[in-house]
Amino acid sequence: MNAIPNRRKGFGALSRRDFLRRGAMAGLGLASAGSMFSARGLSGFSQNRPLTFVLSGDAATMDPHLAFDVTTTHVQIQMLEALVTRAQDGTLAPLLAADWVFENTRNVVFTLREGVVFHNGEPFDAETVKANFDRLLFDPEITPGLRPLFGPIVNVEVLDRLRVRFTMDEPFPLLIARLTNVGMLPQAHLAQSDNDAISSAAVGTGPYEFVAWQRDNQLTMKRNANYWGQQPEIEDVVFRVVPDPSTQLLELLSQNVDVILLTSVLNAPTIASSDVATVRNFPNNITIDPFFNPSGPDSPLQNVAVRQALNLAVNVPELVEALVGPFGSPLATVITPLAFGFNPSVSPFGFDPQGAVQLLKGAGYPDGFSTSMVTFPPGQDGAEIIGGYLQDVGVQVDLRIAGFGEFFQQVNTRSISEEIFLTAWSVPALDAQSTFEILVKTGGVASYYTNEEADVLIDVASKTFDPGVRQAALFRVQEIIKDEPIAIYSHTQDDLAGVSSRLVVDRRPDGKYHIKDWLLQ
């Protein structure tokens, strides 16, 4: 996908104030419409048309071993299932695995569910599990994908038709949580399809079957009549790609679509006051930050004082109020209160533009400097506001808005050319260690930072089952990255969705929407 030709320089304070004023007005409208957040019935709405879920960008792939972003996960989990899932209360629960037992800290035996059949008619068994993990862990073409999340696994052994043993070369306390991310594919699909074919069509065990995919337009699926679990109430599902938020809103209010995901609070009052849709908000483990990517040894961002200054320059509470009103809160680092290991004693930087100017002067930039930033379409509003704050302390930002697919491909392959990239990050494991391995540890998929002490602490947290030891290590990492910022620490926000009034919608604590749980009304 080509970049959207949208590059902006020199954000003025007036434009930022205008945006903030719009956000405050939207927040007031939303508060006055609070009673409208409850579900309503709606007469005359066809119960038989497909449920249509709108995405701002397309899924990257149907290959579960390569999936990394939230958008792709929203689509895949309807068709592809993992060994383990998160229940409605957030606890880890069996899915394709009926049970598991730790023989010791390095061996886990899974007993698989009986009677599960793939969409192509192939039975699910222990050989299936081994084939999937042999590909994920050892196929040279499957990289990086999800492989970095499962480094300790050295062998997957079939014990009998429905039992399989995972062997690690070191203790792996997050194994079960991370297995929620790996959908299973049938052996015939793995053996007879090249990787491009696997990426183009989903074949799983899930409650919905793949029908067709028009890239950057829509993906359709139908209810799996042979599903091993309870049959979903909703028969047919369409995921449509509609990048423009205004068009999404119009489609929802015109009753052409059923679910849109809101990237800001601005459209919420209109939805909440309508007769055809409601607004739902769900607590989230997401962190939204402009991450630092110093382009070389001469980059100003190599200087810790500069990175601290950029944090002081941004009025995060004002930013949050503009974007999501009461449905967001500032963060001190990249860890949210929902994650294990969140350190409440580390506080946000606060807003101190004069302090930022002094730090820049002391770092050798009394007149500021120029830098570059990239984000994807849902991040544009936040990026423009942040660019305005940075300009106020003398830092000029050249902003590029990249296409959805291009942006995440560059993030996942470490090929971002700009010095700052603003993205949303969510880790379904709900554990700070997973976030640190991706964003902080030397060589992490999206890490442009190195700190020897942090690397050691992350390793400690990854190799012990003792929650006290893990927590202490994770707490200390947050102290380190507060002193040596890896981003302009911004905020977490609820997952806001505009939902057709014909639906009863829920979302699980790991951020996943399971349409099989939804009901028509």
Side-chain angles (χ1 to χ4, degrees), residues 68 141 143 149 165 175 179 201 236 255 273 343 364 412 430:
F68 209 81
E141 295 187 29
T143 184
L149 300 179
R165 175 186 288 123
L175 171 65
L179 288 176
D236 301 301
Q255 304 178 42
S273 62
N343 188 344
N412 293 339
L430 301 179

Side-chain angles (χ1 to χ4, degrees), residues 278-312:
T278 61
V279 174
R280 293 295 310 277
N281 65 292
F282 305 96
N284 217 343
N285 188 45
I286 199 168
T287 176
I288 300 171
D289 303 290
F291 289 90
F292 297 131
N293 171 29
S295 59
D298 296 328
S299 168
L301 299 184
Q302 293 285 358
N303 191 311
V304 171
V306 169
R307 304 202 302 270
Q308 292 173 343
L310 300 194
N311 273 274
L312 293 175

Side-chain angles (χ1 to χ4, degrees), residues 263-504:
T263 57
S264 84
V265 77
L266 294 179
N267 287 333
T270 303
I271 296 169
S273 62
S274 76
D275 292 327
V276 298
T278 61
V279 174
R280 293 295 310 277
N281 65 292
F282 305 96
N284 217 343
N285 188 45
I286 199 168
T287 176
I288 300 171
D289 303 290
F291 289 90
F292 297 131
N293 171 29
S295 59
D298 296 328
S299 168
L301 299 184
Q302 293 285 358
N303 191 311
V304 171
V306 169
R307 304 202 302 270
Q308 292 173 343
L310 300 194
N311 273 274
L312 293 175
V314 177
N315 188 335
V316 175
E318 191 175 60
L319 170 70
V320 173
E321 178 64 26
L323 294 176
V324 290
F327 301 110
S329 57
L331 290 176
T333 67
V334 293
I335 305 302
T336 78
L338 291 181
F340 174 83
F342 171 75
N343 188 344
S345 68
V346 179
S347 57
F349 271 92
F351 180 50
D352 183 4
Q354 290 304 313
V357 169
Q358 291 304 311
L359 280 175
L360 290 173
K361 183 177 180 181
Y365 301 97
D367 300 318
F369 59 90
S370 295
T371 189
S372 55
M373 183 190 301
V374 63
T375 190
F376 61 132
Q380 180 170 344
D381 288 342
E384 291 183 354
I385 297 173
I386 289 168
Y389 287 125
L390 297 186
Q391 179 176 285
D392 289 347
V393 298
V395 177
Q396 305 299 317
V397 179
D398 185 7
L399 175 63
R400 178 171 68 93
I401 310 300
F404 217 100
E406 178 201 16
F407 178 74
F408 282 107
Q409 188 272 338
Q410 290 179 350
V411 170
N412 293 339
T413 58
R414 297 175 59 83
S415 56
I416 294 285
S417 59
E418 285 80 5
E419 291 196 310
I420 303 172
F421 59 102
L422 189 154
T423 187
W425 207 274
S426 180
V427 179
L430 301 179
D431 192 291
Q433 179 199 321
S434 289
T435 302
F436 291 154
E437 288 184 356
I438 295 168
L439 300 175
V440 178
K441 190 174 181 181
T442 303
V445 172
S447 172
Y448 296 85
Y449 174 73
T450 295
N451 180 287
E452 185 176 346
E453 182 186 0
D455 287 348
V456 170
L457 290 165
I458 294 168
D459 284 341
V460 167
S462 73
K463 296 175 184 177
T464 178
F465 284 80
D466 185 323
V469 173
R470 297 193 70 243
Q471 184 181 73
L474 298 172
F475 273 23
R476 175 58 187 148
V477 174
Q478 285 157 84
E479 294 170 355
I480 292 171
I481 64 171
K482 170 66 185 299
D483 292 339
E484 300 181 0
I486 64 170
I488 299 173
Y489 299 127
S490 184
H491 67 288
T492 184
Q493 65 185 51
D494 287 358
D495 202 355
L496 293 173
V499 179
S500 164
S501 296
R502 73 171 184 149
L503 288 176
V504 178

